[in-house]
Amino acid sequence: MISDKAVEIKRKLKIEPIKGSYNSYAVHEKEKRDWSGNIYLTCLVAILAIAFFT
């Protein structure tokens, strides 16, 4: 369903001029890395290591 409310999306963009062209730019979106999966995996490995060595 389409809403009439405008949603503001905050994105970090890196805009660089393209060499050898006039008034042309390359737009790169900076992405944040999602560390939550790595943190859960590390905790699981630590719990399994403690259980194995005790």
Side-chain angles (χ1 to χ4, degrees), residues 7-42:
V7 177
E8 184 178 329
I9 300 173
K10 294 183 180 180
R11 300 184 303 177
K12 293 189 177 189
L13 300 176
K14 184 178 180 185
I15 301 173
E16 299 176 338
I18 298 174
K19 293 180 182 177
S21 65
Y22 176 74
N23 208 15
S24 297
Y25 299 91
V27 179
H28 304 285
E29 187 172 354
K30 294 182 181 179
E31 295 182 13
K32 270 185 117 177
R33 203 161 164 185
D34 183 21
W35 290 96
S36 62
N38 292 342
I39 292 171
Y40 291 130
L41 181 62
T42 305

